[in-house]
Amino acid sequence: MPPTTCVRCQTNKAVVKRPKNHHKLCRDCFIAVFEDEVHHTIVSSKLFYRGEKVAIGASGGKDSTVLASVLKTLNERHDYGLDLVLLSIDEGIKGYRDDSLETVKRNAVQYDMPLKIVGYDELYGWTMDQVVETIGKKGNCTYCGVFRRQALDRGAKTLEIKHVVTGHNADDVAETVLMNLLRGDLPRLSRSTSIVTGGSLNDVKRSKPLKYAYEKEIVLYAHHKKLDYFSTECIYSPEAFRGTARSLIKNLEKVRPSAILDIVRSGEDMARLTPDKGQGACACDEGEGMGGCGSADAKTSGNDLAQMEASLKEKPTANGLETEITSNATPKVIDSDDVVKLPIRQRRSKEPGPVQLQTLGKCVKCGYMSSQAMCQACTLLEGLNKNRPEISIEG
Amino acid sequence: MAASCSRCKAPDAKFELRNVATCENCFREYVDSKVIKRFTVLQRETRASPKPEPRRYVAGLSFGPSSTALTQILDKTAQYQASRKGSSPFEPLVVHIDTDLSHPADAHDTPAQKLLARYREKFPNVSLECVHLSKVLSVNTIDWTTIPIPGDGSDVERLRQFFSSLPSVTSRADSLRLFIRHLLLHVALERSYSALLFGHSTTALASLTLSEVANGRGFAVPWQISDGLFAVCTYRRTADPASAGESSQEESKIQFPIYYPLREILKNEIVTYLSTMPSVQDLIPSPDKASSSVVSHKDQSIEEVMARYFDGVEGPYSGIVTNVVRTAGKLDRLETSQYCRLCGITLDEEGDSTWAGELGDDPADSSLTQSKGKLCYGCKRSMGG
Ligand SMILES: [Zn+2]
Ligand SMILES: [Zn+2]
Ligand SMILES: [Zn+2]
Ligand SMILES: [Zn+2]
């Protein structure tokens, strides 16, 4: 086969077939197109304002490394006037974070960005290793997930930064859409699709500038830009489920590459059809999009079909559609997400910008946004702290 | 030794139904009563007056297990109603759409017609009819100016060309599904039937839900999988060649009931149900060997990927299957003033403008500007890529 020329510049040899639409591009054009698309997302969603201090949740993994590289490039090219900082979390898992933190440290030098590493010990008084010593390996993904969710926000607060960007990509969003349909979680479905979450509710706004970028293109971008990144799986995710939504998405992508974006589109549209009208754009249950525990296969706990099935069986309505269908009164499954009025997601088509906030609940202990009196992290910590004496006896 | 039936206490319950031992009779009765209950709901929800009125329903038959089971239950119900004095007439018309484009539309003794003749013998209380897919071209619930149907040749030839011009297996499967739906709807409207029934099981509805999502049709999901009234627009054809390229006038809009009476039964329950009636089961053509083994992804549609996925999920995780359908049913049906001129779902202008704003204009879409504002996102995707 003769070498194909790039469809964009019509000059150079095409070296990339874009996973997203199969356009054949040369290296430079691919990089330019990728960056232009992220720029468009940033501008059309009005993600930033001039002079804003923004923390990039950095794990050393591909998503956050690409995010840091692209943001640095765009910030200079389009003169966003952003003050970018790398923010990394050290869960305190011996040997696990060492290499990825080394990567982040090199990134800080490469991108000439300040780096702040915050440890679970300083945020919670517990490292993950200590948590595992106390409760064993089973269930620790819950802890890791809950702690991680807040870690970036808490870390940003220590830096007095009000905006954290994460490396969630289109595959992540599509996966969350399918997972939430499978587990029947409409509030979470509507949250998971919005590009900006949080806001003044917990003082820290979260956004995902790579929301429309294909994972495969992120890998290609990292490859062609020769970015320095690290890939690993969290060693504390024995329950991390492989296969379900993620492999379904990969199969769909093979059949029709546009499927990933089409699922994101469907998710956004369905968010507007949920009974609470797309309210509730908080960041409280996103995966973290920055490698580590949630990387690739298990963004959130409960991805396991068997776990999900078991939890469905506990609900009285799970064993048939009868109750829903024969009567018009829908038995409402009360779930913490349903109780609290969370922020309204605005119609971005008309008025882009962060979500507006309605009623807010804050954790009595730490002040973090919460639908309960005490947030999940503090609840878990309370349980852990009760067990603390046992450790000191053993140790 | 098998356990005794938890429903009638008969010894030797051969089956397990929703985790309890069940005998053959009780299994059949369970499925029948679930479906008949849905007929009752349908009657109640669509009744125009308190007086008994004939129940004239069109049901689609693909010759698969679910629609065959639906035909069986329609036949049984019609027989029962006929035997009762004073009950309102129950008149089902079961329609098979023959999608075989390798023979002319008016061919006789086609494989589909032969098979339908066997169904006719088995189900004497329902009317059965075979309609060729090419008839869809005369349906006026689609605005034909918005999709690329070639103008020359026989209807079969035009359809064949249309399908081969589509960009993917998924596009073809998606359009075929829409055509079948329109054609069945057309038969029902033209002959003054009062509702259209589909044989989807819970599993099929769950699979349809996720297929719709993966086809970019998330907005359509609550319309597509709920029972109830569905807005149907008809379009007038402009015969005037000077107006070629312009879209047709919307002529009328009516509300028509579409129901899925098997929605509370899982696919494997339907298979078991049919296994208790060998003479019915024997009617069903065995599925292609090729489709059960692993085929290349290129030859698969999103629909097939989803069906396979749910085949794997259903056995051990039936609660999840049920959950998907229940969750999708909770979504609001949003109504706007404009309808997609292919699939008939209300158009989502807000979603379209948000999406265009976020993603920017895709130059590849420019060829479709003609259909802008007339086709929904999912239909544009199917026609264009
Ligand atoms: Zn080029
Ligand atoms: Zn707290
Ligand atoms: Zn029995
Ligand atoms: Zn459509």
Side-chain angles (χ1 to χ4, degrees), chain A residues 93-114:
Chain A
I93 304 173
K94 228 176 216 87
Y96 160 65
R97 271 292 175 214
D98 301 356
D99 292 333
S100 56
L101 288 177
E102 283 313 308
T103 312
V104 178
K105 284 176 194 162
R106 288 197 302 276
N107 289 159
V109 177
Q110 289 153 1
Y111 304 145
D112 189 25
M113 280 180 203

mmCIF file of all heavy atoms in Angstrom, chain A residues 93-114:
data_model
loop_
_atom_site.group_PDB
_atom_site.id
_atom_site.type_symbol
_atom_site.label_atom_id
_atom_site.label_comp_id
_atom_site.label_asym_id
_atom_site.label_seq_id
_atom_site.Cartn_x
_atom_site.Cartn_y
_atom_site.Cartn_z
ATOM 1 N N ILE A 93 1.141 4.045 50.387
ATOM 2 C CA ILE A 93 1.231 2.620 50.106
ATOM 3 C C ILE A 93 2.687 2.374 49.751
ATOM 4 O O ILE A 93 3.164 2.843 48.721
ATOM 5 C CB ILE A 93 0.316 2.216 48.922
ATOM 6 C CG1 ILE A 93 -1.130 2.628 49.189
ATOM 7 C CG2 ILE A 93 0.422 0.724 48.655
ATOM 8 C CD1 ILE A 93 -2.071 2.413 47.994
ATOM 9 N N LYS A 94 3.363 1.670 50.623
ATOM 10 C CA LYS A 94 4.806 1.535 50.450
ATOM 11 C C LYS A 94 5.153 0.903 49.098
ATOM 12 O O LYS A 94 4.609 -0.110 48.724
ATOM 13 C CB LYS A 94 5.387 0.674 51.572
ATOM 14 C CG LYS A 94 6.597 1.328 52.165
ATOM 15 C CD LYS A 94 7.209 0.635 53.353
ATOM 16 C CE LYS A 94 7.736 1.674 54.323
ATOM 17 N NZ LYS A 94 6.731 2.150 55.269
ATOM 18 N N GLY A 95 6.028 1.540 48.386
ATOM 19 C CA GLY A 95 6.510 0.981 47.128
ATOM 20 C C GLY A 95 5.626 1.285 45.946
ATOM 21 O O GLY A 95 6.083 1.280 44.810
ATOM 22 N N TYR A 96 4.357 1.580 46.205
ATOM 23 C CA TYR A 96 3.436 1.737 45.079
ATOM 24 C C TYR A 96 3.533 3.117 44.443
ATOM 25 O O TYR A 96 3.602 3.260 43.228
ATOM 26 C CB TYR A 96 2.008 1.446 45.550
ATOM 27 C CG TYR A 96 0.939 2.007 44.648
ATOM 28 C CD1 TYR A 96 0.793 1.540 43.340
ATOM 29 C CD2 TYR A 96 0.078 3.004 45.111
ATOM 30 C CE1 TYR A 96 -0.181 2.062 42.519
ATOM 31 C CE2 TYR A 96 -0.903 3.529 44.282
ATOM 32 C CZ TYR A 96 -1.026 3.056 42.992
ATOM 33 O OH TYR A 96 -1.983 3.576 42.190
ATOM 34 N N ARG A 97 3.556 4.140 45.264
ATOM 35 C CA ARG A 97 3.574 5.491 44.734
ATOM 36 C C ARG A 97 4.984 5.981 44.375
ATOM 37 O O ARG A 97 5.126 6.988 43.693
ATOM 38 C CB ARG A 97 2.961 6.471 45.737
ATOM 39 C CG ARG A 97 1.469 6.657 45.596
ATOM 40 C CD ARG A 97 1.121 7.353 44.310
ATOM 41 N NE ARG A 97 -0.322 7.435 44.127
ATOM 42 C CZ ARG A 97 -0.943 7.382 42.960
ATOM 43 N NH1 ARG A 97 -0.241 7.221 41.860
ATOM 44 N NH2 ARG A 97 -2.235 7.475 42.882
ATOM 45 N N ASP A 98 5.986 5.273 44.864
ATOM 46 C CA ASP A 98 7.346 5.778 44.693
ATOM 47 C C ASP A 98 7.654 6.141 43.241
ATOM 48 O O ASP A 98 8.068 7.250 42.938
ATOM 49 C CB ASP A 98 8.377 4.744 45.187
ATOM 50 C CG ASP A 98 8.152 4.410 46.660
ATOM 51 O OD1 ASP A 98 7.246 5.047 47.264
ATOM 52 O OD2 ASP A 98 8.842 3.534 47.195
ATOM 53 N N ASP A 99 7.403 5.174 42.344
ATOM 54 C CA ASP A 99 7.737 5.413 40.943
ATOM 55 C C ASP A 99 6.857 6.486 40.321
ATOM 56 O O ASP A 99 7.331 7.317 39.554
ATOM 57 C CB ASP A 99 7.600 4.113 40.139
ATOM 58 C CG ASP A 99 8.653 3.101 40.546
ATOM 59 O OD1 ASP A 99 9.739 3.539 41.008
ATOM 60 O OD2 ASP A 99 8.403 1.898 40.421
ATOM 61 N N SER A 100 5.566 6.439 40.658
ATOM 62 C CA SER A 100 4.690 7.424 40.023
ATOM 63 C C SER A 100 4.982 8.816 40.571
ATOM 64 O O SER A 100 4.930 9.798 39.837
ATOM 65 C CB SER A 100 3.222 7.049 40.212
ATOM 66 O OG SER A 100 2.921 6.896 41.566
ATOM 67 N N LEU A 101 5.326 8.922 41.838
ATOM 68 C CA LEU A 101 5.668 10.237 42.384
ATOM 69 C C LEU A 101 6.970 10.749 41.784
ATOM 70 O O LEU A 101 7.127 11.946 41.546
ATOM 71 C CB LEU A 101 5.734 10.194 43.909
ATOM 72 C CG LEU A 101 4.362 10.070 44.603
ATOM 73 C CD1 LEU A 101 4.519 9.949 46.117
ATOM 74 C CD2 LEU A 101 3.453 11.250 44.266
ATOM 75 N N GLU A 102 7.894 9.813 41.515
ATOM 76 C CA GLU A 102 9.121 10.222 40.826
ATOM 77 C C GLU A 102 8.781 10.802 39.455
ATOM 78 O O GLU A 102 9.360 11.799 39.022
ATOM 79 C CB GLU A 102 10.081 9.031 40.653
ATOM 80 C CG GLU A 102 10.855 8.647 41.918
ATOM 81 C CD GLU A 102 11.472 9.859 42.620
ATOM 82 O OE1 GLU A 102 12.173 10.642 41.944
ATOM 83 O OE2 GLU A 102 11.235 10.028 43.843
ATOM 84 N N THR A 103 7.822 10.143 38.776
ATOM 85 C CA THR A 103 7.404 10.636 37.462
ATOM 86 C C THR A 103 6.834 12.041 37.573
ATOM 87 O O THR A 103 7.164 12.932 36.782
ATOM 88 C CB THR A 103 6.327 9.698 36.856
ATOM 89 O OG1 THR A 103 6.775 8.357 36.972
ATOM 90 C CG2 THR A 103 6.077 10.020 35.397
ATOM 91 N N VAL A 104 5.968 12.235 38.566
ATOM 92 C CA VAL A 104 5.368 13.556 38.742
ATOM 93 C C VAL A 104 6.447 14.600 39.031
ATOM 94 O O VAL A 104 6.400 15.719 38.516
ATOM 95 C CB VAL A 104 4.318 13.537 39.871
ATOM 96 C CG1 VAL A 104 3.736 14.918 40.067
ATOM 97 C CG2 VAL A 104 3.216 12.549 39.561
ATOM 98 N N LYS A 105 7.432 14.216 39.809
ATOM 99 C CA LYS A 105 8.516 15.160 40.122
ATOM 100 C C LYS A 105 9.270 15.547 38.858
ATOM 101 O O LYS A 105 9.614 16.715 38.657
ATOM 102 C CB LYS A 105 9.488 14.546 41.141
ATOM 103 C CG LYS A 105 8.941 14.543 42.563
ATOM 104 C CD LYS A 105 9.906 13.832 43.523
ATOM 105 C CE LYS A 105 9.213 13.531 44.851
ATOM 106 N NZ LYS A 105 9.944 12.494 45.619
ATOM 107 N N ARG A 106 9.500 14.565 37.984
ATOM 108 C CA ARG A 106 10.164 14.889 36.718
ATOM 109 C C ARG A 106 9.272 15.787 35.861
ATOM 110 O O ARG A 106 9.723 16.738 35.248
ATOM 111 C CB ARG A 106 10.515 13.607 35.942
ATOM 112 C CG ARG A 106 11.659 12.810 36.541
ATOM 113 C CD ARG A 106 12.215 11.810 35.520
ATOM 114 N NE ARG A 106 11.195 10.886 35.024
ATOM 115 C CZ ARG A 106 10.828 9.768 35.648
ATOM 116 N NH1 ARG A 106 11.389 9.420 36.804
ATOM 117 N NH2 ARG A 106 9.895 8.978 35.136
ATOM 118 N N ASN A 107 7.943 15.467 35.853
ATOM 119 C CA ASN A 107 6.994 16.300 35.102
ATOM 120 C C ASN A 107 7.055 17.750 35.569
ATOM 121 O O ASN A 107 7.003 18.676 34.758
ATOM 122 C CB ASN A 107 5.552 15.788 35.281
ATOM 123 C CG ASN A 107 5.292 14.475 34.566
ATOM 124 O OD1 ASN A 107 4.372 13.748 34.903
ATOM 125 N ND2 ASN A 107 6.109 14.146 33.565
ATOM 126 N N ALA A 108 7.143 17.929 36.874
ATOM 127 C CA ALA A 108 7.180 19.289 37.422
ATOM 128 C C ALA A 108 8.359 20.061 36.832
ATOM 129 O O ALA A 108 8.236 21.241 36.485
ATOM 130 C CB ALA A 108 7.271 19.239 38.939
ATOM 131 N N VAL A 109 9.484 19.360 36.689
ATOM 132 C CA VAL A 109 10.656 20.012 36.101
ATOM 133 C C VAL A 109 10.440 20.240 34.607
ATOM 134 O O VAL A 109 10.655 21.330 34.080
ATOM 135 C CB VAL A 109 11.925 19.147 36.339
ATOM 136 C CG1 VAL A 109 13.140 19.778 35.670
ATOM 137 C CG2 VAL A 109 12.151 18.940 37.836
ATOM 138 N N GLN A 110 9.938 19.181 33.936
ATOM 139 C CA GLN A 110 9.744 19.263 32.483
ATOM 140 C C GLN A 110 8.770 20.386 32.103
ATOM 141 O O GLN A 110 8.952 21.064 31.107
ATOM 142 C CB GLN A 110 9.198 17.927 31.940
ATOM 143 C CG GLN A 110 10.229 16.794 31.949
ATOM 144 C CD GLN A 110 9.594 15.408 32.067
ATOM 145 O OE1 GLN A 110 8.374 15.276 32.131
ATOM 146 N NE2 GLN A 110 10.435 14.377 32.122
ATOM 147 N N TYR A 111 7.724 20.528 32.893
ATOM 148 C CA TYR A 111 6.709 21.529 32.551
ATOM 149 C C TYR A 111 6.908 22.836 33.316
ATOM 150 O O TYR A 111 6.099 23.744 33.191
ATOM 151 C CB TYR A 111 5.290 20.988 32.831
ATOM 152 C CG TYR A 111 4.989 19.698 32.121
ATOM 153 C CD1 TYR A 111 4.196 18.721 32.715
ATOM 154 C CD2 TYR A 111 5.503 19.446 30.850
ATOM 155 C CE1 TYR A 111 3.924 17.524 32.059
ATOM 156 C CE2 TYR A 111 5.246 18.255 30.195
ATOM 157 C CZ TYR A 111 4.464 17.289 30.807
ATOM 158 O OH TYR A 111 4.205 16.121 30.156
ATOM 159 N N ASP A 112 7.932 22.847 34.125
ATOM 160 C CA ASP A 112 8.227 24.040 34.895
ATOM 161 C C ASP A 112 6.999 24.503 35.695
ATOM 162 O O ASP A 112 6.559 25.637 35.623
ATOM 163 C CB ASP A 112 8.709 25.160 33.936
ATOM 164 C CG ASP A 112 9.239 26.362 34.702
ATOM 165 O OD1 ASP A 112 9.672 26.184 35.864
ATOM 166 O OD2 ASP A 112 9.194 27.476 34.139
ATOM 167 N N MET A 113 6.432 23.529 36.431
ATOM 168 C CA MET A 113 5.261 23.832 37.256
ATOM 169 C C MET A 113 5.563 23.472 38.696
ATOM 170 O O MET A 113 6.229 22.480 38.955
ATOM 171 C CB MET A 113 4.061 22.967 36.833
ATOM 172 C CG MET A 113 3.309 23.432 35.617
ATOM 173 S SD MET A 113 1.959 22.268 35.310
ATOM 174 C CE MET A 113 1.677 22.557 33.574
ATOM 175 N N PRO A 114 5.053 24.266 39.646
ATOM 176 C CA PRO A 114 5.219 23.887 41.044
ATOM 177 C C PRO A 114 4.477 22.581 41.341
ATOM 178 O O PRO A 114 3.453 22.312 40.713
ATOM 179 C CB PRO A 114 4.600 25.050 41.819
ATOM 180 C CG PRO A 114 4.028 25.996 40.824
ATOM 181 C CD PRO A 114 4.334 25.533 39.454
#
